[in-house]
Amino acid sequence: MGSKYPPSLKGFLPVWTLLLEAALIVIFFFFTSYDTSSQDPTKVMDTYRVLRDVTIMVALGFGFINSSLQRYGWSSVAFNLFLLALTVQWAALLDGFLEQPSSKKVVIKLSSIKLATMSAMSVLISAGTILGKANLVQLVLMALVEVTAFGVMRMIQTKYFIKDNHVNMMHIHVFAAYFGLMVAWSFRRPLRETMMQKDQTAKSSSLFGMLGTLFLWIFWPHFNSALLLDSPKERKNAMFNTYYALAVSAVTAISVSSLFHPQGKINMNHIHNAVLAGGVAVGASCYLISSPWLAMVLGLVAGIISTGGALCLPMCFNHMLEIHDTGGVYYTFGLPGLLGEIAHIVLTTSQDDWTKSAMAEYQLLLDIGALSLAMAMGLIIGLLTGVVLNLKIWRGLHVSKYFDDQSFWKFPHLAVGF
Amino acid sequence: MGSKYPPSLKGFLPVWTLLLEAALIVIFFFFTSYDTSSQDPTKVMDTYRVLRDVTIMVALGFGFINSSLQRYGWSSVAFNLFLLALTVQWAALLDGFLEQPSSKKVVIKLSSIKLATMSAMSVLISAGTILGKANLVQLVLMALVEVTAFGVMRMIQTKYFIKDNHVNMMHIHVFAAYFGLMVAWSFRRPLRETMMQKDQTAKSSSLFGMLGTLFLWIFWPHFNSALLLDSPKERKNAMFNTYYALAVSAVTAISVSSLFHPQGKINMNHIHNAVLAGGVAVGASCYLISSPWLAMVLGLVAGIISTGGALCLPMCFNHMLEIHDTGGVYYTFGLPGLLGEIAHIVLTTSQDDWTKSAMAEYQLLLDIGALSLAMAMGLIIGLLTGVVLNLKIWRGLHVSKYFDDQSFWKFPHLAVGF
Amino acid sequence: MGSKYPPSLKGFLPVWTLLLEAALIVIFFFFTSYDTSSQDPTKVMDTYRVLRDVTIMVALGFGFINSSLQRYGWSSVAFNLFLLALTVQWAALLDGFLEQPSSKKVVIKLSSIKLATMSAMSVLISAGTILGKANLVQLVLMALVEVTAFGVMRMIQTKYFIKDNHVNMMHIHVFAAYFGLMVAWSFRRPLRETMMQKDQTAKSSSLFGMLGTLFLWIFWPHFNSALLLDSPKERKNAMFNTYYALAVSAVTAISVSSLFHPQGKINMNHIHNAVLAGGVAVGASCYLISSPWLAMVLGLVAGIISTGGALCLPMCFNHMLEIHDTGGVYYTFGLPGLLGEIAHIVLTTSQDDWTKSAMAEYQLLLDIGALSLAMAMGLIIGLLTGVVLNLKIWRGLHVSKYFDDQSFWKFPHLAVGF
């Protein structure tokens, strides 16, 4: 038995993560303090509720949306929680250090935890691309690198390109998708056919996947409006538009999925991902859009792109680029995210005052620059991370152990057909 | 393969729904605008949270409560989301046109989306009666007709019978149950025994059903108080009473289900439905009741009626009326809803000032008229809809394909025992 | 068939619970009234939202966390709801009588239902120890006794030891764990090996268990801050600290579970329980802790203790004390709860003003006294309850029917391998 499963985690994982956790506690001991300024209690509770809603989204939503692999449900859900719990601690520290580099102590506010949870989402998105292929040590390493890179990227954007927190945060989809793709590329291996069978959805797991999708669908308006608490009008707009875009992309995804099947049947995997495309696409510009039809058009286009991507890309990716994107991250977050960024640039440009054309042109350049930065950093850091993750010292999974809970979990009894 | 499954959706569904979606976007483009009046931000957020809670209830609750059919889990959850997303868009428009027929533009407020979501629930209730028997084209058609009829009914009630939004909305249970029954009647077919086997609950699906039930149980107080935001006292009463009624009906349902089994065993299907009977029964009068015992009595009676209905009605319905009510809508929503309406009429009558007996009598007549209208419209429009849905042009499912996800979904591999 | 399953519930359960329910309604009729004082609507809604969040935690969280037994999922979830619905009604009454013994009518406020729901949690915790071993009659009896004992204990504490509601309530973990252990001890029976097999987790049920765990994990900060609504600062602290403690214990639990397995594999059962240990351990002192590292240390230690307990205790308990703690209550709630109480005593002592040492010593004695009372009452009343529950008149389950839904539920068809 012992010989069949490589000791991929043995020794490494527990020592590594417990040391990491101890180090985090020490850093918190020396460098942080809670925010003790007396704030308006109503506002504190509002922030807390937003934090809770975002946590529901990332812990339940992302936890279950990837649980539909036949033999990888346990790992999907539990590793998601693990990565979330670890990343949030580090991201809150990091944001503090980057924002207040001179101050001796980082002040931890409720809003820093909220921001950290949102940053942690970048890791959960990227992890989808190598779902079932990396061990937990590799995932932890990836999480730390990615969330640091994302924090640095947001700081650079704030300093040189765009001041707005919301707009910066919404680069998360594009950044995380390209980061994930590069990591997935470095994990390219010839998958034998028996392997491919495990990369299947099972009937009851798919209902768990649907559960995750529904949580994301319901709470996405909260995510898109989570950084707009100070402007009631923008917040209301963001919720309105996200709601409409999601409604339209749900209808579109199911219709388009049926359209491309010879017998008009629907593919559950498309539904898991593409119903959310509207929320991703409307993310960057949700606070700007002033009438529902525009959000609906974005939802429609995003639904078509996302379902279309799910139909065409796997073949192209698998064969030409040798990227096996298990969770369909590229067409769930990457393409709709790109659409959303472009829509945002077009919208801000069209609302700019072009009588002062130099000013407007400069703003346009900045917007394009920020998007390019997000893509470039995602690609480059993702590539580097992928290379590092494939070093032998991490004792990665052998390809025959891919997509299988048995490599990580102690099963009560290893019955056949489990 | 192609010959075994009728091309029921092929061609029809995608074209039909994408055109519909495009039409909706065009209508939104020409006829709607967002509400730009500056409102109290606290109130806006309150409305939004209520909307979110109602969405949790309809998307997660109704999605999963019907997922316990052995081979129909995917369709239950996904079609529920599809119908919700489509109906909300149409219902928000419709309510706008009916309320402000003269104005050129419909103003979309957060409260209109909340109202639309609640109206959409009528469709989700009725869809339970023909669960597993209609294809998605038929369901979409039914949804559009039903939500239009429900909107018209509420407008008539507001104009001629009762002004109160909450009381009108609570006719939803009776309306949707009778509408659904008539549609189910038009779908009457001799079900062979192998079919009946599929109309079974599976063990792990039943836990999904229970998940849906729990979401409904937890969020029902929000549904019953969702239209009472302007009166804190009525809102508090509504939540209190719904909470107590639900607690009592949960206890009652389990007890009564055990009482009628020879070995005292409990039937999971009763639990899925009857624990919610208290929330339905107390719906219309929840804002009026001023002490907990009355709500508890309603919960008790509703639990008994609902479980009793689940025990006796299927036989009687199946054999005499030839109605096969898959989801048990009649005893989950119909009977407790009727009980709730009668309780409401009795309560308002008893609180009326009978010294001005003419006035009170008139009010009593109006209440009875409104209830009759809801039932009559449900029955008649339901019957008409059922007839239309059975036209051959919709290419309905053959009876041998009933209760089976395979007609609608692409499965990775059609293994035996799936 | 009838002979194979003992008529354990037949006759007893329905008559017993319906009479109980009727009695409750009568008591509510004579002795209660709603709170009609006009309160600040914002505060009412705040209380209501907290109630909803606590309800989500107990109905969904506790319902599903124990659903991972292979053949006991239905009972876990449904009995949990039943016990919750019944206990809340009784606990609200009881608290009213104990608090206002002189007044003729008990005034039911939203906050009394909140308190009752939290008290009901003691029953749901304890029920975990005899999961699969008691019938519903025994569970109902246990629930009524336990919640009464817990109410009396809290009243004694308030009168003679500590005034603070929050601190008293947090004794729930220790009280319920020891109560449960004693009841489990009285249910000691030699379990044959075939039985042990049923006491296994199944793959898809474990995802349901994980769902419950995640709900508890997300909503635990609300539980720990539910009684601190009046002090915004303490409430914020409680949420902060609980959040950090939970994050650390999630990371720790997974690491430690892997550390102790020869191949570094993780045990899902540890995860279900130990990720929550941080929330339990920080419960009593969450409002006091003023910097995150302390909460993190508590989370770390609690995670280690809880996972360690899960590794070592079952053997020791099973063989030496003959206690079979099905749900792992002792190391999920008992040990971390004890840790939390000790931490609370140390923290309050260290913050006391020791220049007035007599005062501080007295306070220390009171704190220790309150904890001892909770443990003693848990042990003694638990033992007595266990003895009573094993009387023959309750027609307990035969040991061969342990861990099996079939004793309680009507299955559509008793297929092999169900």
Side-chain angles (χ1 to χ4, degrees):
Chain A
M1 209 58 167
S3 65
K4 276 178 70 185
Y5 298 104
S8 51
L9 293 178
K10 164 119 191 85
F12 250 115
L13 174 72
V15 175
W16 161 259
T17 47
L18 286 174
L19 278 180
L20 199 65
E21 193 56 71
L24 280 170
I25 294 180
V26 171
I27 301 178
F28 269 91
F29 178 69
F30 284 111
F31 297 109
T32 68
S33 65
Y34 278 141
D35 177 28
T36 49
S37 66
S38 63
Q39 291 161 283
D40 175 17
T42 319
K43 221 174 152 187
V44 171
M45 277 319 293
D46 190 21
T47 310
Y48 186 70
R49 290 209 186 92
V50 172
L51 167 61
R52 181 200 56 196
D53 289 340
V54 173
T55 306
I56 290 179
M57 194 173 148
V58 290
L60 282 168
F62 276 95
F64 281 104
I65 199 174
N66 281 330
S67 70
S68 46
L69 287 190
Q70 217 167 2
R71 292 156 157 275
Y72 202 68
W74 287 18
S75 308
S76 305
V77 179
F79 291 2
N80 185 74
L81 175 66
F82 187 86
L83 293 177
L84 172 65
L86 193 66
T87 316
V88 164
Q89 298 174 45
W90 172 236
L93 270 183
L94 181 82
D95 284 348
F97 287 130
L98 291 175
E99 264 173 46
Q100 318 150 351
S102 55
S103 69
K104 239 183 95 188
K105 286 240 173 189
V106 170
V107 176
I108 304 279
K109 297 180 215 158
L110 269 181
S111 57
S112 16
I113 306 186
K114 180 183 73 184
L115 212 64
T117 308
M118 294 174 83
S119 301
M121 214 176 93
S122 68
V123 174
L124 308 181
I125 292 175
S126 300
T129 59
I130 49 168
L131 191 73
K133 291 184 283 190
N135 66 32
L136 202 40
V137 178
Q138 291 170 317
L139 286 174
V140 167
L141 195 74
M142 188 190 94
L144 295 179
V145 173
E146 179 166 5
V147 89
T148 309
F150 186 64
V152 170
M153 186 206 83
R154 289 205 316 113
M155 193 205 54
I156 299 177
Q157 289 197 345
T158 312
K159 253 194 181 149
Y160 303 104
F161 295 98
I162 308 162
K163 291 243 169 318
D164 191 65
N165 244 339
H166 169 79
V167 177
N168 292 341
M169 180 53 83
M170 287 304 151
H171 285 121
I172 192 170
H173 305 299
V174 174
F175 174 83
Y178 283 106
F179 186 99
L181 278 188
M182 281 300 106
V183 174
W185 180 73
S186 76
F187 271 83
R188 65 189 182 285
R189 309 262 188 291
L191 295 177
R192 271 171 300 161
E193 223 161 83
T194 50
M195 280 305 97
M196 298 303 263
Q197 234 178 15
K198 286 196 206 164
D199 176 20
Q200 298 279 8
T201 52
K203 183 115 187 190
S204 103
S205 322
S206 261
L207 280 179
F208 282 111
M210 200 66 206
L211 185 69
T213 303
L214 285 174
F215 273 115
L216 289 174
W217 197 83
I218 294 170
F219 286 96
W220 209 283
H222 288 258
F223 178 77
N224 278 355
S225 63
L227 294 178
L228 304 166
L229 303 197
D230 291 331
S231 161
K233 210 190 140 216
E234 289 185 358
R235 188 180 188 184
K236 198 175 70 171
N237 266 350
M239 293 186 304
F240 258 130
N241 289 314
T242 310
Y243 191 87
Y244 267 102
L246 284 167
V248 174
S249 70
V251 172
T252 311
I254 294 183
S255 307
V256 175
S257 176
S258 161
L259 186 64
F260 284 101
H261 188 274
Q263 277 117 36
K265 292 191 180 181
I266 311 166
N267 187 325
M268 187 47 118
N269 285 334
H270 301 170
I271 308 316
H272 283 170
N273 299 320
V275 294
L276 303 171
V280 176
V282 93
S285 47
C286 55
Y287 69 101
L288 273 176
I289 298 173
S290 59
S291 49
W293 69 271
L294 200 52
M296 292 167 82
V297 169
L298 271 176
L300 182 80
V301 178
I304 293 172
I305 285 181
S306 183
T307 322
L311 281 159
C312 316
L313 284 180
M315 194 109 60
C316 142
F317 270 37
N318 272 344
H319 289 276
M320 290 165 58
L321 300 174
E322 297 184 278
I323 294 175
H324 180 261
D325 176 5
T326 323
V329 170
Y330 191 60
Y331 45 84
T332 313
F333 298 98
L335 289 177
L338 217 51
L339 171 71
E341 293 301 333
I342 294 168
H344 182 242
I345 293 175
V346 170
L347 270 170
T348 42
T349 310
S350 71
Q351 289 181 0
D352 272 339
D353 182 1
W354 281 90
T355 53
K356 300 169 189 167
S357 72
M359 186 80 176
E361 262 170 37
Y362 182 61
Q363 183 58 43
L364 176 61
L365 278 178
L366 284 186
D367 287 347
I368 293 175
L371 175 59
S372 312
L373 177 73
M375 289 171 67
M377 278 194 70
L379 285 168
I380 295 167
I381 314 247
L383 186 61
L384 293 176
T385 310
V387 171
V388 171
L389 289 189
N390 276 279
L391 296 179
K392 285 228 167 133
I393 51 161
W394 311 116
R395 305 195 203 169
L397 283 179
H398 186 262
V399 71
S400 65
K401 309 286 172 245
Y402 277 13
F403 315 124
D404 208 326
D405 275 338
Q406 290 199 353
S407 315
F408 304 112
W409 296 92
K410 189 187 161 215
F411 281 114
H413 52 132
L414 295 159
V416 183
F418 210 170
Chain B
M1 211 58 168
S3 65
K4 273 180 72 186
Y5 299 104
S8 51
L9 295 178
K10 167 128 188 77
F12 251 115
L13 173 73
V15 174
W16 161 260
T17 47
L18 287 174
L19 279 180
L20 199 64
E21 193 54 71
L24 279 170
I25 294 179
V26 171
I27 301 179
F28 269 91
F29 178 69
F30 284 112
F31 297 110
T32 69
S33 67
Y34 278 141
D35 177 27
T36 50
S37 66
S38 64
Q39 290 162 283
D40 175 18
T42 319
K43 221 174 151 186
V44 170
M45 277 317 294
D46 189 22
T47 310
Y48 185 69
R49 290 207 187 95
V50 172
L51 168 60
R52 181 200 56 194
D53 289 339
V54 173
T55 306
I56 290 179
M57 195 174 146
V58 291
L60 282 169
F62 277 94
F64 282 104
I65 200 175
N66 282 329
S67 70
S68 47
L69 286 189
Q70 216 168 2
R71 293 157 156 274
Y72 202 68
W74 288 17
S75 308
S76 304
V77 180
F79 290 2
N80 185 74
L81 175 65
F82 186 86
L83 292 177
L84 172 65
L86 193 66
T87 316
V88 163
Q89 298 173 47
W90 172 235
L93 270 183
L94 181 82
D95 285 348
F97 286 131
L98 290 176
E99 265 173 43
Q100 319 150 351
S102 54
S103 69
K104 239 182 100 188
K105 286 239 175 190
V106 170
V107 176
I108 304 277
K109 296 180 217 162
L110 269 181
S111 58
S112 17
I113 305 185
K114 180 184 72 183
L115 211 63
T117 308
M118 295 175 82
S119 301
M121 213 175 94
S122 68
V123 174
L124 307 180
I125 292 175
S126 300
T129 58
I130 50 170
L131 191 73
K133 292 184 283 190
N135 65 32
L136 203 40
V137 178
Q138 292 170 316
L139 285 173
V140 167
L141 196 73
M142 188 191 94
L144 295 179
V145 173
E146 178 166 5
V147 88
T148 309
F150 185 65
V152 170
M153 186 206 83
R154 289 206 315 114
M155 194 205 54
I156 299 177
Q157 290 196 346
T158 312
K159 253 196 181 147
Y160 302 104
F161 296 98
I162 309 163
K163 292 244 169 318
D164 190 66
N165 245 338
H166 170 79
V167 176
N168 292 342
M169 179 54 82
M170 287 303 151
H171 285 120
I172 192 171
H173 305 299
V174 174
F175 174 83
Y178 282 105
F179 186 98
L181 279 188
M182 282 298 107
V183 173
W185 180 74
S186 75
F187 271 83
R188 67 189 180 285
R189 309 264 189 289
L191 295 177
R192 270 171 302 161
E193 223 162 81
T194 49
M195 281 304 96
M196 298 303 264
Q197 233 178 16
K198 286 195 207 165
D199 175 20
Q200 299 280 7
T201 52
K203 181 115 188 189
S204 103
S205 323
S206 262
L207 281 179
F208 282 111
M210 200 67 205
L211 186 68
T213 303
L214 284 174
F215 273 115
L216 289 174
W217 196 82
I218 293 169
F219 286 95
W220 209 283
H222 287 257
F223 178 77
N224 278 354
S225 63
L227 295 178
L228 303 166
L229 302 197
D230 293 329
S231 161
K233 211 190 137 215
E234 289 186 356
R235 190 181 186 183
K236 198 174 70 169
N237 266 349
M239 294 187 303
F240 257 131
N241 289 314
T242 310
Y243 191 87
Y244 268 103
L246 284 168
V248 174
S249 68
V251 172
T252 310
I254 295 185
S255 307
V256 174
S257 177
S258 162
L259 186 65
F260 283 101
H261 188 274
Q263 277 117 38
K265 292 191 182 181
I266 311 166
N267 188 324
M268 188 47 120
N269 285 334
H270 300 169
I271 308 315
H272 282 170
N273 299 320
V275 295
L276 304 171
V280 176
V282 93
S285 48
C286 56
Y287 68 101
L288 271 178
I289 297 173
S290 59
S291 48
W293 68 270
L294 200 52
M296 292 167 82
V297 168
L298 272 177
L300 182 80
V301 177
I304 293 173
I305 286 180
S306 183
T307 323
L311 281 159
C312 316
L313 284 180
M315 193 112 58
C316 143
F317 270 35
N318 272 345
H319 289 276
M320 289 165 56
L321 300 174
E322 296 184 281
I323 295 174
H324 180 262
D325 175 5
T326 323
V329 170
Y330 191 60
Y331 46 83
T332 313
F333 299 97
L335 288 178
L338 216 52
L339 171 71
E341 293 301 331
I342 294 168
H344 182 242
I345 293 176
V346 171
L347 269 170
T348 42
T349 309
S350 70
Q351 289 182 0
D352 272 340
D353 183 1
W354 281 90
T355 53
K356 298 171 189 165
S357 73
M359 186 79 174
E361 262 172 35
Y362 182 61
Q363 183 58 42
L364 176 61
L365 278 179
L366 284 185
D367 286 347
I368 294 174
L371 175 59
S372 312
L373 178 73
M375 289 169 66
M377 277 193 70
L379 285 168
I380 295 167
I381 315 245
L383 185 63
L384 293 177
T385 310
V387 171
V388 171
L389 289 189
N390 276 280
L391 294 181
K392 286 227 166 136
I393 52 162
W394 311 114
R395 305 194 205 168
L397 284 178
H398 187 261
V399 71
S400 65
K401 308 289 172 243
Y402 276 15
F403 315 123
D404 208 326
D405 274 339
Q406 291 199 353
S407 315
F408 304 112
W409 297 90
K410 189 187 160 214
F411 283 113
H413 52 132
L414 295 159
V416 183
F418 209 170
Chain C
M1 209 56 170
S3 65
K4 275 179 72 186
Y5 300 104
S8 52
L9 293 178
K10 166 120 188 84
F12 250 114
L13 174 71
V15 174
W16 161 259
T17 46
L18 286 174
L19 278 179
L20 200 65
E21 193 55 72
L24 280 170
I25 295 181
V26 171
I27 300 178
F28 269 91
F29 178 67
F30 284 112
F31 297 109
T32 69
S33 66
Y34 278 141
D35 177 28
T36 49
S37 65
S38 63
Q39 291 161 284
D40 175 17
T42 318
K43 222 176 152 187
V44 170
M45 276 318 293
D46 189 21
T47 310
Y48 185 70
R49 289 207 187 95
V50 172
L51 167 61
R52 180 200 57 196
D53 289 338
V54 173
T55 306
I56 290 179
M57 195 174 147
V58 290
L60 282 168
F62 277 94
F64 281 104
I65 199 176
N66 282 328
S67 70
S68 46
L69 287 190
Q70 215 167 5
R71 291 156 159 274
Y72 202 68
W74 287 18
S75 308
S76 304
V77 180
F79 290 1
N80 186 73
L81 175 66
F82 187 86
L83 291 178
L84 172 64
L86 193 65
T87 315
V88 164
Q89 298 174 47
W90 172 237
L93 270 184
L94 181 82
D95 284 348
F97 287 131
L98 290 176
E99 264 173 44
Q100 318 151 352
S102 54
S103 70
K104 240 183 97 190
K105 285 240 175 188
V106 170
V107 176
I108 304 278
K109 297 179 216 161
L110 269 181
S111 58
S112 18
I113 306 185
K114 181 184 70 184
L115 211 63
T117 308
M118 294 174 82
S119 302
M121 214 177 93
S122 68
V123 174
L124 308 180
I125 291 176
S126 300
T129 58
I130 49 169
L131 191 73
K133 292 185 282 192
N135 66 32
L136 201 41
V137 177
Q138 291 170 316
L139 286 173
V140 167
L141 195 73
M142 188 190 94
L144 295 180
V145 173
E146 180 166 6
V147 89
T148 309
F150 186 64
V152 170
M153 187 206 81
R154 289 206 316 113
M155 193 206 54
I156 298 176
Q157 291 196 343
T158 312
K159 253 197 182 147
Y160 302 105
F161 297 98
I162 308 163
K163 290 243 169 320
D164 191 66
N165 245 338
H166 169 79
V167 177
N168 292 341
M169 179 54 83
M170 286 305 150
H171 285 121
I172 191 170
H173 304 300
V174 175
F175 174 83
Y178 283 104
F179 187 98
L181 278 188
M182 282 298 107
V183 173
W185 181 73
S186 75
F187 270 83
R188 66 190 181 283
R189 309 262 189 291
L191 293 178
R192 272 171 300 163
E193 223 163 83
T194 49
M195 280 305 96
M196 297 304 262
Q197 234 179 15
K198 285 195 205 166
D199 175 20
Q200 299 278 9
T201 51
K203 183 117 188 187
S204 105
S205 323
S206 262
L207 281 178
F208 281 111
M210 200 68 205
L211 185 69
T213 302
L214 285 174
F215 274 114
L216 288 175
W217 196 82
I218 294 169
F219 286 96
W220 208 284
H222 287 258
F223 178 77
N224 278 354
S225 63
L227 295 179
L228 304 166
L229 302 198
D230 292 330
S231 161
K233 211 191 139 216
E234 290 186 355
R235 189 182 188 182
K236 198 175 69 170
N237 266 350
M239 294 186 302
F240 258 130
N241 289 315
T242 310
Y243 191 87
Y244 268 103
L246 283 167
V248 174
S249 69
V251 172
T252 311
I254 294 184
S255 307
V256 174
S257 176
S258 163
L259 186 64
F260 284 100
H261 188 273
Q263 275 117 38
K265 293 190 179 180
I266 310 166
N267 187 325
M268 188 46 118
N269 285 334
H270 301 170
I271 309 316
H272 283 170
N273 299 319
V275 295
L276 303 172
V280 176
V282 94
S285 48
C286 55
Y287 68 102
L288 273 177
I289 298 173
S290 58
S291 49
W293 68 271
L294 200 52
M296 292 167 81
V297 169
L298 272 177
L300 182 79
V301 178
I304 293 174
I305 285 181
S306 184
T307 323
L311 281 159
C312 315
L313 284 180
M315 194 110 58
C316 143
F317 270 36
N318 272 343
H319 289 277
M320 288 164 59
L321 300 174
E322 296 183 281
I323 294 174
H324 180 262
D325 176 5
T326 322
V329 169
Y330 190 60
Y331 45 85
T332 314
F333 298 98
L335 289 177
L338 216 50
L339 172 71
E341 292 301 332
I342 294 168
H344 182 242
I345 293 175
V346 171
L347 270 169
T348 43
T349 309
S350 71
Q351 289 183 1
D352 272 339
D353 183 1
W354 280 89
T355 53
K356 299 172 191 163
S357 73
M359 186 79 176
E361 263 172 36
Y362 183 61
Q363 182 59 42
L364 176 61
L365 278 179
L366 283 186
D367 286 347
I368 294 175
L371 176 58
S372 311
L373 178 73
M375 289 170 67
M377 277 193 71
L379 285 169
I380 294 167
I381 315 248
L383 185 63
L384 293 177
T385 310
V387 171
V388 171
L389 289 189
N390 275 280
L391 296 179
K392 286 228 165 131
I393 53 160
W394 311 113
R395 305 196 204 170
L397 282 180
H398 187 261
V399 70
S400 65
K401 308 286 171 245
Y402 276 14
F403 315 123
D404 208 326
D405 274 339
Q406 289 198 355
S407 315
F408 304 111
W409 296 91
K410 189 187 161 214
F411 282 113
H413 52 131
L414 296 160
V416 183
F418 210 172

